[in-house]
Amino acid sequence: MKKMNPIAMAVVLIVSMVSFYQCTHDEELFAGFPVVHDFQNLQQLHDTLTLNDTVGLSISDPTIENIVQGAQGTKLIVPANSLTLPGGGEATPPFTVSMLEIFKRGDMIRHNVQTFAGQSPLVSGGVLWLQIKDANGATLALNGVQAVLPYRTNASGYENDMQHYTGTNQSAPSGSQIVSWGAGSSEVTYNAGAGVSGEFTIATVSNGWNHAASPLQIPDGQATQFSVRVPNSSD
């Protein structure tokens, strides 16, 4: 084996030592990845993930009709001058529209949205959470704002029976917040020829939770519950 020249060996040794020194004194190299979120518990993680589903849009000129469309196809039809301060008066543009659209069962579960109104199970045609604020951060009153939801759920046979429901946050026994539904005051219509596979129109929506849904029709005599018997139990 050919021996390395002593001078070459010394050069290699010096270069290695310098490289090792730079690596061990490079703070950025050992700083790790930047931490974007520091979650205290799983609920904070859940809230952050669900918040990321909310789409932010803008209305710059409220004196004309605006049609605002969400990421999943929901359209808000905002008539001219229909957004005002709650007590009346002119709001300050531009307006910020925050919108959350829910069409899939997995998204309902992730957002703690139940599919019951009281004890009545619902067949969903789509869920919309909405909040519109002006440039000063005031939540605006919605006067005659329509929502058009694309038909993206499995509501076969219930398309023409859809009703408007509004949601409120309630505390579950676990302490987490769930969305419960109550009867709304608007009208829901179905247009089978609109969009890709039909559309549901909620005639008037409000800030907060809006739901196009129909009570599930359960045939007489059909079992909807089951019992569990535990062997060797006293009950």
Short mmCIF file of all heavy atoms in Angstrom, two decimals, residues 75-145:
data_model
loop_
_atom_site.label_atom_id
_atom_site.label_comp_id
_atom_site.label_asym_id
_atom_site.label_seq_id
_atom_site.Cartn_x
_atom_site.Cartn_y
_atom_site.Cartn_z
N LYS A 75 -72.11 29.40 -2.79
CA LYS A 75 -72.16 30.79 -3.25
C LYS A 75 -73.03 31.61 -2.32
O LYS A 75 -74.14 31.19 -1.97
CB LYS A 75 -72.71 30.86 -4.68
CG LYS A 75 -71.77 30.30 -5.74
CD LYS A 75 -72.37 30.39 -7.12
CE LYS A 75 -73.52 29.41 -7.27
NZ LYS A 75 -74.03 29.35 -8.67
N LEU A 76 -72.53 32.78 -1.93
CA LEU A 76 -73.32 33.75 -1.19
C LEU A 76 -73.75 34.84 -2.17
O LEU A 76 -72.92 35.43 -2.85
CB LEU A 76 -72.51 34.39 -0.07
CG LEU A 76 -72.16 33.55 1.16
CD1 LEU A 76 -71.38 34.39 2.15
CD2 LEU A 76 -73.42 33.00 1.81
N ILE A 77 -75.06 35.08 -2.24
CA ILE A 77 -75.58 36.14 -3.08
C ILE A 77 -75.94 37.30 -2.15
O ILE A 77 -76.89 37.20 -1.37
CB ILE A 77 -76.80 35.66 -3.88
CG1 ILE A 77 -76.40 34.46 -4.76
CG2 ILE A 77 -77.34 36.79 -4.74
CD1 ILE A 77 -77.55 33.85 -5.53
N VAL A 78 -75.16 38.35 -2.23
CA VAL A 78 -75.28 39.49 -1.31
C VAL A 78 -75.88 40.67 -2.08
O VAL A 78 -75.19 41.30 -2.89
CB VAL A 78 -73.91 39.87 -0.72
CG1 VAL A 78 -74.06 40.98 0.31
CG2 VAL A 78 -73.23 38.65 -0.11
N PRO A 79 -77.16 40.99 -1.83
CA PRO A 79 -77.76 42.14 -2.54
C PRO A 79 -77.06 43.45 -2.18
O PRO A 79 -76.38 43.55 -1.15
CB PRO A 79 -79.21 42.13 -2.03
CG PRO A 79 -79.44 40.73 -1.54
CD PRO A 79 -78.12 40.29 -0.99
N ALA A 80 -77.24 44.43 -3.02
CA ALA A 80 -76.64 45.75 -2.79
C ALA A 80 -77.16 46.34 -1.47
O ALA A 80 -78.35 46.27 -1.17
CB ALA A 80 -76.97 46.68 -3.95
N ASN A 81 -76.24 46.88 -0.68
CA ASN A 81 -76.56 47.57 0.57
C ASN A 81 -77.30 46.68 1.57
O ASN A 81 -78.08 47.17 2.39
CB ASN A 81 -77.39 48.83 0.29
CG ASN A 81 -76.67 49.80 -0.63
OD1 ASN A 81 -75.52 50.14 -0.41
ND2 ASN A 81 -77.36 50.23 -1.68
N SER A 82 -77.05 45.37 1.52
CA SER A 82 -77.76 44.44 2.41
C SER A 82 -76.99 44.13 3.69
O SER A 82 -77.51 43.44 4.56
CB SER A 82 -78.04 43.13 1.67
OG SER A 82 -76.82 42.51 1.28
N LEU A 83 -75.77 44.65 3.81
CA LEU A 83 -74.96 44.40 5.00
C LEU A 83 -74.87 45.71 5.80
O LEU A 83 -74.31 46.69 5.33
CB LEU A 83 -73.56 43.92 4.61
CG LEU A 83 -73.54 42.66 3.73
CD1 LEU A 83 -72.11 42.34 3.31
CD2 LEU A 83 -74.16 41.48 4.45
N THR A 84 -75.43 45.69 7.00
CA THR A 84 -75.48 46.89 7.81
C THR A 84 -75.00 46.61 9.22
O THR A 84 -74.84 45.44 9.62
CB THR A 84 -76.92 47.44 7.88
OG1 THR A 84 -77.76 46.44 8.49
CG2 THR A 84 -77.44 47.76 6.48
N LEU A 85 -74.79 47.65 10.00
CA LEU A 85 -74.48 47.48 11.41
C LEU A 85 -75.71 46.93 12.13
O LEU A 85 -76.85 47.20 11.71
CB LEU A 85 -74.05 48.81 12.02
CG LEU A 85 -72.74 49.40 11.48
CD1 LEU A 85 -72.50 50.79 12.06
CD2 LEU A 85 -71.57 48.48 11.78
N PRO A 86 -75.52 46.14 13.19
CA PRO A 86 -76.66 45.49 13.86
C PRO A 86 -77.77 46.46 14.28
O PRO A 86 -78.95 46.15 14.17
CB PRO A 86 -76.02 44.82 15.07
CG PRO A 86 -74.61 44.57 14.64
CD PRO A 86 -74.24 45.73 13.77
N GLY A 87 -77.40 47.64 14.74
CA GLY A 87 -78.41 48.60 15.15
C GLY A 87 -78.85 49.51 14.04
O GLY A 87 -79.56 50.51 14.28
N GLY A 88 -78.47 49.23 12.82
CA GLY A 88 -78.73 50.09 11.69
C GLY A 88 -77.54 51.00 11.45
O GLY A 88 -76.67 51.17 12.31
N GLY A 89 -77.47 51.58 10.31
CA GLY A 89 -76.35 52.46 10.00
C GLY A 89 -75.43 51.84 8.98
O GLY A 89 -75.48 50.65 8.68
N GLU A 90 -74.56 52.67 8.46
CA GLU A 90 -73.67 52.26 7.38
C GLU A 90 -72.39 51.66 7.94
O GLU A 90 -71.73 52.25 8.80
CB GLU A 90 -73.35 53.46 6.49
CG GLU A 90 -72.57 53.11 5.24
CD GLU A 90 -72.39 54.32 4.34
OE1 GLU A 90 -73.07 55.33 4.56
OE2 GLU A 90 -71.54 54.24 3.42
N ALA A 91 -72.04 50.50 7.44
CA ALA A 91 -70.80 49.83 7.85
C ALA A 91 -69.64 50.33 7.00
O ALA A 91 -69.83 50.91 5.94
CB ALA A 91 -70.95 48.32 7.72
N THR A 92 -68.43 50.08 7.49
CA THR A 92 -67.22 50.56 6.81
C THR A 92 -66.59 49.44 5.99
O THR A 92 -66.14 48.43 6.54
CB THR A 92 -66.19 51.07 7.85
OG1 THR A 92 -66.79 52.07 8.66
CG2 THR A 92 -64.97 51.63 7.16
N PRO A 93 -66.57 49.58 4.66
CA PRO A 93 -65.90 48.56 3.83
C PRO A 93 -64.39 48.74 3.88
O PRO A 93 -63.92 49.79 4.31
CB PRO A 93 -66.47 48.85 2.42
CG PRO A 93 -66.81 50.31 2.45
CD PRO A 93 -67.20 50.64 3.86
N PRO A 94 -63.62 47.71 3.43
CA PRO A 94 -64.11 46.45 2.87
C PRO A 94 -64.62 45.51 3.96
O PRO A 94 -64.25 45.63 5.11
CB PRO A 94 -62.86 45.89 2.18
CG PRO A 94 -61.72 46.43 2.99
CD PRO A 94 -62.14 47.81 3.41
N PHE A 95 -65.46 44.56 3.52
CA PHE A 95 -66.04 43.58 4.45
C PHE A 95 -65.28 42.26 4.32
O PHE A 95 -64.91 41.84 3.23
CB PHE A 95 -67.52 43.35 4.15
CG PHE A 95 -68.36 44.59 4.26
CD1 PHE A 95 -69.58 44.68 3.61
CD2 PHE A 95 -67.95 45.67 5.03
CE1 PHE A 95 -70.36 45.82 3.71
CE2 PHE A 95 -68.72 46.82 5.14
CZ PHE A 95 -69.93 46.90 4.47
N THR A 96 -65.07 41.61 5.45
CA THR A 96 -64.40 40.31 5.48
C THR A 96 -65.44 39.21 5.66
O THR A 96 -66.24 39.25 6.60
CB THR A 96 -63.38 40.23 6.62
OG1 THR A 96 -62.39 41.25 6.42
CG2 THR A 96 -62.69 38.87 6.63
N VAL A 97 -65.44 38.24 4.76
CA VAL A 97 -66.37 37.12 4.80
C VAL A 97 -65.60 35.87 5.21
O VAL A 97 -64.68 35.44 4.51
CB VAL A 97 -67.04 36.89 3.43
CG1 VAL A 97 -68.02 35.74 3.50
CG2 VAL A 97 -67.73 38.17 2.96
N SER A 98 -65.96 35.30 6.35
CA SER A 98 -65.38 34.03 6.81
C SER A 98 -66.42 32.93 6.58
O SER A 98 -67.56 33.05 7.04
CB SER A 98 -64.99 34.11 8.28
OG SER A 98 -64.02 35.11 8.49
N MET A 99 -66.00 31.88 5.89
CA MET A 99 -66.95 30.85 5.49
C MET A 99 -66.37 29.46 5.73
O MET A 99 -65.21 29.20 5.42
CB MET A 99 -67.30 31.03 4.00
CG MET A 99 -68.34 30.05 3.48
SD MET A 99 -68.51 30.13 1.65
CE MET A 99 -68.87 31.87 1.40
N LEU A 100 -67.18 28.58 6.29
CA LEU A 100 -66.81 27.18 6.49
C LEU A 100 -67.90 26.31 5.89
O LEU A 100 -69.07 26.44 6.25
CB LEU A 100 -66.64 26.87 7.98
CG LEU A 100 -66.44 25.40 8.37
CD1 LEU A 100 -65.13 24.88 7.81
CD2 LEU A 100 -66.45 25.24 9.89
N GLU A 101 -67.52 25.42 4.96
CA GLU A 101 -68.47 24.54 4.29
C GLU A 101 -68.23 23.10 4.73
O GLU A 101 -67.10 22.64 4.76
CB GLU A 101 -68.30 24.65 2.77
CG GLU A 101 -68.37 26.07 2.23
CD GLU A 101 -67.66 26.19 0.90
OE1 GLU A 101 -68.31 25.94 -0.14
OE2 GLU A 101 -66.46 26.53 0.89
N ILE A 102 -69.32 22.39 5.04
CA ILE A 102 -69.21 21.01 5.48
C ILE A 102 -70.21 20.16 4.70
O ILE A 102 -71.41 20.41 4.74
CB ILE A 102 -69.48 20.87 7.00
CG1 ILE A 102 -68.46 21.68 7.79
CG2 ILE A 102 -69.46 19.41 7.42
CD1 ILE A 102 -68.67 21.63 9.29
N PHE A 103 -69.68 19.14 4.00
CA PHE A 103 -70.52 18.25 3.22
C PHE A 103 -70.26 16.77 3.54
O PHE A 103 -71.08 15.93 3.19
CB PHE A 103 -70.30 18.48 1.71
CG PHE A 103 -70.71 19.84 1.24
CD1 PHE A 103 -69.77 20.84 1.06
CD2 PHE A 103 -72.04 20.14 1.00
CE1 PHE A 103 -70.14 22.10 0.62
CE2 PHE A 103 -72.43 21.39 0.56
CZ PHE A 103 -71.48 22.38 0.38
N LYS A 104 -69.14 16.45 4.17
CA LYS A 104 -68.76 15.06 4.39
C LYS A 104 -68.93 14.69 5.87
O LYS A 104 -68.77 15.53 6.75
CB LYS A 104 -67.31 14.82 3.96
CG LYS A 104 -67.07 15.08 2.48
CD LYS A 104 -65.60 14.86 2.13
CE LYS A 104 -65.32 15.12 0.66
NZ LYS A 104 -63.89 14.94 0.33
N ARG A 105 -69.22 13.40 6.10
CA ARG A 105 -69.39 12.93 7.48
C ARG A 105 -68.11 13.14 8.29
O ARG A 105 -68.17 13.51 9.46
CB ARG A 105 -69.78 11.44 7.47
CG ARG A 105 -71.21 11.18 7.08
CD ARG A 105 -71.58 9.72 7.31
NE ARG A 105 -70.87 8.85 6.39
CZ ARG A 105 -71.34 8.46 5.21
NH1 ARG A 105 -72.52 8.90 4.80
NH2 ARG A 105 -70.65 7.66 4.44
N GLY A 106 -66.95 12.91 7.65
CA GLY A 106 -65.70 13.08 8.38
C GLY A 106 -65.50 14.51 8.84
O GLY A 106 -65.00 14.76 9.95
N ASP A 107 -65.90 15.48 8.00
CA ASP A 107 -65.78 16.88 8.40
C ASP A 107 -66.75 17.24 9.51
O ASP A 107 -66.45 18.06 10.38
CB ASP A 107 -66.02 17.79 7.18
CG ASP A 107 -64.90 17.68 6.16
OD1 ASP A 107 -63.78 17.32 6.55
OD2 ASP A 107 -65.15 17.96 4.97
N MET A 108 -67.94 16.63 9.48
CA MET A 108 -68.90 16.86 10.57
C MET A 108 -68.33 16.38 11.90
O MET A 108 -68.43 17.07 12.92
CB MET A 108 -70.22 16.14 10.27
CG MET A 108 -71.01 16.74 9.13
SD MET A 108 -72.59 15.89 8.89
CE MET A 108 -73.27 16.85 7.53
N ILE A 109 -67.72 15.21 11.87
CA ILE A 109 -67.13 14.66 13.10
C ILE A 109 -65.98 15.55 13.58
O ILE A 109 -65.86 15.86 14.76
CB ILE A 109 -66.64 13.22 12.85
CG1 ILE A 109 -67.83 12.29 12.56
CG2 ILE A 109 -65.84 12.71 14.04
CD1 ILE A 109 -67.44 10.91 12.11
N ARG A 110 -65.16 16.00 12.64
CA ARG A 110 -64.00 16.81 12.99
C ARG A 110 -64.39 18.15 13.60
O ARG A 110 -63.68 18.70 14.44
CB ARG A 110 -63.13 17.01 11.75
CG ARG A 110 -61.76 17.58 12.02
CD ARG A 110 -60.79 17.13 10.94
NE ARG A 110 -61.24 17.50 9.62
CZ ARG A 110 -60.88 18.63 9.01
NH1 ARG A 110 -60.10 19.48 9.62
NH2 ARG A 110 -61.30 18.89 7.79
N HIS A 111 -65.54 18.67 13.18
CA HIS A 111 -66.00 19.97 13.67
C HIS A 111 -67.05 19.83 14.77
O HIS A 111 -67.69 20.82 15.14
CB HIS A 111 -66.56 20.80 12.52
CG HIS A 111 -65.50 21.29 11.57
ND1 HIS A 111 -64.81 22.46 11.77
CD2 HIS A 111 -65.00 20.75 10.43
CE1 HIS A 111 -63.95 22.63 10.79
NE2 HIS A 111 -64.04 21.61 9.96
N ASN A 112 -67.24 18.61 15.27
CA ASN A 112 -68.21 18.36 16.36
C ASN A 112 -69.62 18.80 15.97
O ASN A 112 -70.35 19.38 16.78
CB ASN A 112 -67.77 19.06 17.65
CG ASN A 112 -66.51 18.48 18.23
OD1 ASN A 112 -66.21 17.30 18.04
ND2 ASN A 112 -65.74 19.29 18.94
N VAL A 113 -69.99 18.55 14.72
CA VAL A 113 -71.32 18.89 14.24
C VAL A 113 -72.17 17.62 14.26
O VAL A 113 -71.90 16.67 13.53
CB VAL A 113 -71.25 19.47 12.81
CG1 VAL A 113 -72.66 19.70 12.27
CG2 VAL A 113 -70.45 20.75 12.79
N GLN A 114 -73.22 17.61 15.10
CA GLN A 114 -74.07 16.44 15.15
C GLN A 114 -75.16 16.53 14.09
O GLN A 114 -75.42 17.60 13.53
CB GLN A 114 -74.67 16.26 16.53
CG GLN A 114 -75.58 17.38 16.99
CD GLN A 114 -76.19 17.08 18.33
OE1 GLN A 114 -76.06 15.98 18.85
NE2 GLN A 114 -76.87 18.05 18.92
N THR A 115 -75.82 15.42 13.82
CA THR A 115 -76.85 15.37 12.77
C THR A 115 -78.21 15.10 13.39
O THR A 115 -79.01 14.35 12.83
CB THR A 115 -76.50 14.30 11.73
OG1 THR A 115 -76.30 13.05 12.40
CG2 THR A 115 -75.26 14.68 10.97
N PHE A 116 -78.47 15.73 14.53
CA PHE A 116 -79.76 15.60 15.20
C PHE A 116 -80.31 16.98 15.49
O PHE A 116 -79.58 17.92 15.77
CB PHE A 116 -79.62 14.84 16.51
CG PHE A 116 -79.65 13.34 16.37
CD1 PHE A 116 -78.52 12.66 15.95
CD2 PHE A 116 -80.79 12.61 16.65
CE1 PHE A 116 -78.52 11.29 15.81
CE2 PHE A 116 -80.81 11.23 16.51
CZ PHE A 116 -79.67 10.57 16.10
N ALA A 117 -81.64 17.11 15.41
CA ALA A 117 -82.35 18.27 15.92
C ALA A 117 -83.22 17.77 17.05
O ALA A 117 -84.27 17.14 16.82
CB ALA A 117 -83.20 18.92 14.83
N GLY A 118 -82.77 17.98 18.27
CA GLY A 118 -83.43 17.35 19.41
C GLY A 118 -83.22 15.86 19.35
O GLY A 118 -82.10 15.37 19.31
N GLN A 119 -84.33 15.09 19.28
CA GLN A 119 -84.25 13.64 19.17
C GLN A 119 -84.45 13.16 17.73
O GLN A 119 -84.50 11.98 17.48
CB GLN A 119 -85.32 13.00 20.07
CG GLN A 119 -85.16 13.32 21.54
CD GLN A 119 -83.85 12.80 22.10
OE1 GLN A 119 -83.45 11.66 21.82
NE2 GLN A 119 -83.18 13.62 22.91
N SER A 120 -84.56 14.10 16.80
CA SER A 120 -84.84 13.74 15.40
C SER A 120 -83.57 13.70 14.58
O SER A 120 -82.89 14.72 14.44
CB SER A 120 -85.82 14.76 14.80
OG SER A 120 -86.06 14.48 13.44
N PRO A 121 -83.23 12.55 13.99
CA PRO A 121 -82.05 12.49 13.11
C PRO A 121 -82.32 13.24 11.82
O PRO A 121 -83.45 13.29 11.31
CB PRO A 121 -81.88 10.98 12.86
CG PRO A 121 -83.22 10.39 13.09
CD PRO A 121 -83.89 11.24 14.13
N LEU A 122 -81.27 13.85 11.28
CA LEU A 122 -81.39 14.67 10.08
C LEU A 122 -80.62 14.06 8.92
O LEU A 122 -79.58 13.44 9.10
CB LEU A 122 -80.84 16.08 10.35
CG LEU A 122 -81.51 16.91 11.44
CD1 LEU A 122 -80.77 18.23 11.64
CD2 LEU A 122 -82.97 17.16 11.10
N VAL A 123 -81.14 14.28 7.72
CA VAL A 123 -80.44 13.97 6.48
C VAL A 123 -79.89 15.29 5.95
O VAL A 123 -80.65 16.22 5.67
CB VAL A 123 -81.37 13.33 5.44
CG1 VAL A 123 -80.63 13.07 4.14
CG2 VAL A 123 -81.97 12.04 5.99
N SER A 124 -78.58 15.39 5.83
CA SER A 124 -77.95 16.68 5.54
C SER A 124 -77.82 16.94 4.05
O SER A 124 -77.46 16.07 3.27
CB SER A 124 -76.55 16.74 6.18
OG SER A 124 -75.92 17.97 5.86
N GLY A 125 -78.11 18.21 3.68
CA GLY A 125 -77.85 18.67 2.33
C GLY A 125 -76.65 19.59 2.26
O GLY A 125 -76.27 20.05 1.20
N GLY A 126 -76.06 19.87 3.44
CA GLY A 126 -74.88 20.74 3.50
C GLY A 126 -74.96 21.71 4.66
O GLY A 126 -76.04 22.16 5.05
N VAL A 127 -73.80 22.02 5.22
CA VAL A 127 -73.69 22.90 6.39
C VAL A 127 -72.81 24.09 6.02
O VAL A 127 -71.79 23.95 5.34
CB VAL A 127 -73.08 22.16 7.60
CG1 VAL A 127 -72.89 23.10 8.78
CG2 VAL A 127 -73.97 20.98 8.00
N LEU A 128 -73.23 25.27 6.50
CA LEU A 128 -72.47 26.49 6.24
C LEU A 128 -72.33 27.28 7.54
O LEU A 128 -73.33 27.56 8.20
CB LEU A 128 -73.19 27.36 5.19
CG LEU A 128 -72.66 28.79 5.00
CD1 LEU A 128 -71.27 28.75 4.37
CD2 LEU A 128 -73.61 29.60 4.13
N TRP A 129 -71.08 27.61 7.90
CA TRP A 129 -70.82 28.57 8.98
C TRP A 129 -70.35 29.85 8.34
O TRP A 129 -69.51 29.85 7.45
CB TRP A 129 -69.77 28.05 9.96
CG TRP A 129 -69.49 29.03 11.06
CD1 TRP A 129 -70.17 29.15 12.24
CD2 TRP A 129 -68.46 30.04 11.10
NE1 TRP A 129 -69.64 30.17 13.01
CE2 TRP A 129 -68.59 30.73 12.32
CE3 TRP A 129 -67.46 30.41 10.21
CZ2 TRP A 129 -67.74 31.77 12.67
CZ3 TRP A 129 -66.62 31.45 10.55
CH2 TRP A 129 -66.76 32.12 11.78
N LEU A 130 -70.92 30.97 8.81
CA LEU A 130 -70.69 32.23 8.14
C LEU A 130 -70.51 33.36 9.15
O LEU A 130 -71.17 33.40 10.20
CB LEU A 130 -71.90 32.54 7.24
CG LEU A 130 -71.91 33.84 6.44
CD1 LEU A 130 -70.79 33.83 5.41
CD2 LEU A 130 -73.26 34.01 5.77
N GLN A 131 -69.59 34.26 8.85
CA GLN A 131 -69.43 35.47 9.65
C GLN A 131 -68.91 36.58 8.74
O GLN A 131 -67.91 36.40 8.04
CB GLN A 131 -68.47 35.26 10.81
CG GLN A 131 -68.41 36.43 11.78
CD GLN A 131 -67.51 36.14 12.97
OE1 GLN A 131 -66.29 36.05 12.84
NE2 GLN A 131 -68.11 35.94 14.12
N ILE A 132 -69.60 37.73 8.75
CA ILE A 132 -69.21 38.87 7.92
C ILE A 132 -68.97 40.07 8.84
O ILE A 132 -69.83 40.44 9.63
CB ILE A 132 -70.28 39.20 6.87
CG1 ILE A 132 -70.54 37.97 5.98
CG2 ILE A 132 -69.84 40.38 6.01
CD1 ILE A 132 -71.57 38.22 4.88
N LYS A 133 -67.78 40.67 8.70
CA LYS A 133 -67.41 41.82 9.52
C LYS A 133 -66.97 42.96 8.63
O LYS A 133 -66.49 42.75 7.50
CB LYS A 133 -66.27 41.45 10.48
CG LYS A 133 -66.67 40.43 11.54
CD LYS A 133 -65.52 40.21 12.52
CE LYS A 133 -65.93 39.27 13.64
NZ LYS A 133 -64.85 39.10 14.66
N ASP A 134 -67.10 44.19 9.17
CA ASP A 134 -66.62 45.34 8.40
C ASP A 134 -65.18 45.65 8.76
O ASP A 134 -64.54 44.92 9.52
CB ASP A 134 -67.54 46.55 8.61
CG ASP A 134 -67.36 47.23 9.96
OD1 ASP A 134 -66.64 46.69 10.84
OD2 ASP A 134 -67.93 48.31 10.16
N ALA A 135 -64.64 46.75 8.21
CA ALA A 135 -63.23 47.07 8.39
C ALA A 135 -62.88 47.39 9.84
O ALA A 135 -61.72 47.31 10.23
CB ALA A 135 -62.86 48.26 7.49
N ASN A 136 -63.88 47.75 10.65
CA ASN A 136 -63.65 48.06 12.06
C ASN A 136 -63.83 46.84 12.97
O ASN A 136 -63.73 46.96 14.19
CB ASN A 136 -64.58 49.18 12.51
CG ASN A 136 -64.29 50.48 11.78
OD1 ASN A 136 -63.13 50.82 11.53
ND2 ASN A 136 -65.34 51.23 11.45
N GLY A 137 -64.14 45.69 12.37
CA GLY A 137 -64.30 44.47 13.15
C GLY A 137 -65.70 44.24 13.67
O GLY A 137 -65.93 43.31 14.44
N ALA A 138 -66.67 45.06 13.25
CA ALA A 138 -68.05 44.89 13.71
C ALA A 138 -68.72 43.78 12.91
O ALA A 138 -68.65 43.76 11.67
CB ALA A 138 -68.82 46.20 13.55
N THR A 139 -69.40 42.85 13.61
CA THR A 139 -70.16 41.80 12.93
C THR A 139 -71.43 42.41 12.36
O THR A 139 -72.19 43.09 13.06
CB THR A 139 -70.51 40.67 13.91
OG1 THR A 139 -69.30 40.11 14.43
CG2 THR A 139 -71.30 39.58 13.21
N LEU A 140 -71.67 42.17 11.08
CA LEU A 140 -72.74 42.86 10.37
C LEU A 140 -74.03 42.06 10.36
O LEU A 140 -74.03 40.83 10.46
CB LEU A 140 -72.31 43.14 8.93
CG LEU A 140 -71.03 43.97 8.77
CD1 LEU A 140 -70.70 44.15 7.30
CD2 LEU A 140 -71.17 45.32 9.46
N ALA A 141 -75.14 42.79 10.25
CA ALA A 141 -76.44 42.16 10.06
C ALA A 141 -76.61 41.82 8.59
O ALA A 141 -76.26 42.61 7.71
CB ALA A 141 -77.55 43.10 10.53
N LEU A 142 -77.14 40.63 8.31
CA LEU A 142 -77.33 40.17 6.94
C LEU A 142 -78.80 40.30 6.58
O LEU A 142 -79.66 39.65 7.19
CB LEU A 142 -76.87 38.71 6.79
CG LEU A 142 -75.53 38.33 7.43
CD1 LEU A 142 -75.17 36.89 7.07
CD2 LEU A 142 -74.43 39.28 7.01
N ASN A 143 -79.09 41.12 5.59
CA ASN A 143 -80.47 41.40 5.20
C ASN A 143 -80.73 40.86 3.80
O ASN A 143 -80.37 41.47 2.80
CB ASN A 143 -80.72 42.91 5.23
CG ASN A 143 -80.38 43.53 6.58
OD1 ASN A 143 -81.05 43.27 7.56
ND2 ASN A 143 -79.33 44.33 6.62
N GLY A 144 -81.34 39.67 3.76
CA GLY A 144 -81.67 39.07 2.47
C GLY A 144 -80.52 38.40 1.76
O GLY A 144 -80.58 38.21 0.54
N VAL A 145 -79.50 37.99 2.49
CA VAL A 145 -78.36 37.29 1.88
C VAL A 145 -78.72 35.82 1.68
O VAL A 145 -79.16 35.15 2.61
CB VAL A 145 -77.10 37.41 2.77
CG1 VAL A 145 -75.96 36.60 2.17
CG2 VAL A 145 -76.71 38.87 2.93
#
